[in-house]
Amino acid sequence: MLSFLDMVNHYLGYINVSVKIKNRIYVILGALGDLYLFYIAVRYLQNGHPFWGLLILLVALIMIYFVYLNTVYYFTTKKAPFDISPKIEKLLHMKPKDADLEDTKPMVRGGRNIPANGYFDEKKILPGKLTSSATETASIQQLATRLQQNQLLQLDYSGLGDREIMEQTQRLGKPVYASGPGVLIPYFEMQTENNQLVVYAGINQAEKQRVGVVSTVGLQNVADVCDQFELYLANATLVGGPFKVLGRTNLIEQDNPFTVAVQLAYKHQSDDQPQEPLTTPTANTRVSRYDEPGTMSRTSRSAERDAGSDSDSEPMTRTSRYHH
């Protein structure tokens, strides 16, 4: 029984569900394991082993108390009575989850997440639209699962509670995604295939998969832009997934497939062509006239005249007359 529960716990890591649903599943599995401990304790007592039976029964009673606390915490919005969690945190010098998130928020805001393929000028970056087929959409879902397994994707709604999520949805009128603003994909590249800009993405270069084709850049089609600009893939972000929206009285969580949002940097093709240097005309002075190669001095003209007269005086042979 315990091996079966451990196997289910292991395979839950490969299922792409929200953190709250996964914790609820863990609570149910813990309750089943606790019931199994009660069964073992009763069997020990029936077989004449009171020491081991009472010891296992005591452990089962302690475990069922924590199952009760987790049930109230994950399945309701109430606070469990007789909760000793704050005392345990104070005794072991542990910080609550909210305090840890508040300590890490300034560190995240302070740095800049620069993609591995370089930094582009934000003034020359436009959003692109990625068109994905059914196979490419399945590859994106597999990428999200791999990111979650390697702790690169946290579906915890950026550490927000239900009250904060409700306030945010009321203020902005938009759903709040479990992945937050999105996660930068570790590896991505763009290749030209059959006059199309194909985007590949993955957790690394060895696991890259085709995730879609760029159809538009800004408000224009790619075919209209490629003739005038050179396009580069600036970044690729994994967005979407499960989200929460405000219902009539409380929040409603819905599942949504993950997608890839891309941004492309552009550069004019004329920027790579070298420009001819501009020449400044010089004044035709008396000295420059004599320095020009096409200008002949009086002495050179007389010498050429003498050479021409000498050549005319030479006799022409029969062969030279035809070549003259």
Side-chain angles (χ1 to χ4, degrees):
M1 181 65 181
L2 295 178
S3 300
F4 172 74
L5 295 177
D6 182 69
M7 182 182 65
V8 174
N9 183 24
H10 176 73
Y11 281 102
L12 276 177
Y14 296 96
I15 301 176
N16 188 15
V17 295
S18 64
V19 178
K20 188 174 183 179
I21 296 177
K22 188 176 293 186
N23 288 330
R24 289 178 176 178
I25 297 175
Y26 287 150
V27 172
I28 296 174
L29 293 177
L32 293 177
D34 200 21
L35 292 177
Y36 182 67
L37 289 179
F38 276 107
Y39 171 75
I40 294 177
V42 172
R43 295 295 297 174
Y44 267 102
L45 293 175
Q46 291 178 352
N47 293 330
H49 300 282
F51 175 77
W52 292 107
L54 293 176
L55 182 61
I56 296 176
L57 184 62
L58 178 62
V59 173
L61 290 174
I62 296 174
M63 295 296 294
I64 200 171
Y65 169 74
F66 288 103
V67 170
Y68 163 73
L69 293 180
N70 289 327
T71 302
V72 175
Y73 182 79
Y74 288 110
F75 288 89
T76 64
T77 57
K78 301 179 181 180
K79 185 178 180 181
F82 308 106
D83 189 3
I84 62 172
S85 300
K87 296 181 180 179
I88 296 176
E89 293 174 355
K90 185 177 180 180
L91 180 64
L92 300 178
H93 302 285
M94 298 172 60
K95 290 184 179 181
K97 184 178 180 181
D98 297 337
D100 292 335
L101 291 173
E102 291 178 358
D103 293 340
T104 56
K105 280 182 180 179
M107 296 178 61
V108 175
R109 292 175 183 174
R112 299 193 64 181
N113 198 358
I114 299 177
N117 60 339
Y119 172 77
F120 292 92
D121 188 4
E122 296 180 357
K123 297 180 180 179
K124 294 186 177 182
I125 292 179
L126 292 175
K129 182 179 179 181
L130 203 66
T131 303
S132 303
S133 61
T135 305
E136 294 166 348
T137 303
S139 300
I140 296 174
Q141 310 313 312
Q142 294 177 3
L143 174 61
T145 303
R146 292 285 292 134
L147 291 175
Q148 190 175 1
Q149 291 174 358
N150 289 273
Q151 304 298 323
L152 299 176
L153 174 62
Q154 302 293 335
L155 300 179
D156 57 353
Y157 292 92
S158 301
L160 299 177
D162 288 342
R163 182 179 300 177
E164 296 173 337
I165 294 175
M166 185 175 297
E167 293 177 355
Q168 185 172 345
T169 53
Q170 291 176 351
R171 185 176 66 255
L172 301 178
K174 297 180 180 179
V176 178
Y177 287 89
S179 59
V183 178
L184 185 67
I185 300 176
Y187 180 82
F188 53 87
E189 65 178 14
M190 185 174 64
Q191 300 179 3
T192 303
E193 298 178 2
N194 298 326
N195 296 326
Q196 292 181 338
L197 299 180
V198 182
V199 177
Y200 290 85
I203 195 172
N204 50 46
Q205 187 177 7
E207 299 183 13
K208 67 177 182 180
Q209 292 181 339
R210 177 169 171 162
V211 295
V213 178
V214 180
S215 58
T216 59
V217 179
L219 300 177
Q220 296 180 341
N221 294 327
V222 175
D224 300 334
V225 177
C226 289
D227 297 336
Q228 302 176 0
F229 302 94
E230 294 182 2
L231 300 177
Y232 305 92
L233 186 58
N235 57 63
T237 308
L238 185 71
V239 296
F243 62 92
K244 287 185 178 181
V245 292
L246 184 62
R248 292 184 178 180
T249 57
N250 53 5
L251 293 173
I252 301 175
E253 188 171 16
Q254 298 180 2
D255 291 331
N256 197 43
F258 288 93
T259 57
V260 176
V262 296
Q263 288 184 333
L264 288 88
Y266 64 92
K267 184 176 68 172
H268 290 272
Q269 293 183 357
S270 59
D271 294 344
D272 296 335
Q273 297 178 359
Q275 298 180 357
E276 296 181 1
L278 298 177
T279 58
T280 305
T282 57
N284 192 9
T285 60
R286 181 179 297 178
V287 179
S288 63
R289 282 188 297 173
Y290 292 101
D291 293 336
E292 291 179 358
T295 306
M296 300 178 64
S297 62
R298 185 178 301 174
T299 307
S300 61
R301 288 178 180 176
S302 60
E304 186 178 356
R305 190 182 303 112
D306 296 339
S309 61
D310 294 338
S311 61
D312 294 339
S313 61
E314 292 181 357
M316 299 178 63
T317 61
R318 182 180 297 179
T319 307
S320 63
R321 282 189 298 176
Y322 293 101
H323 294 283
H324 184 67

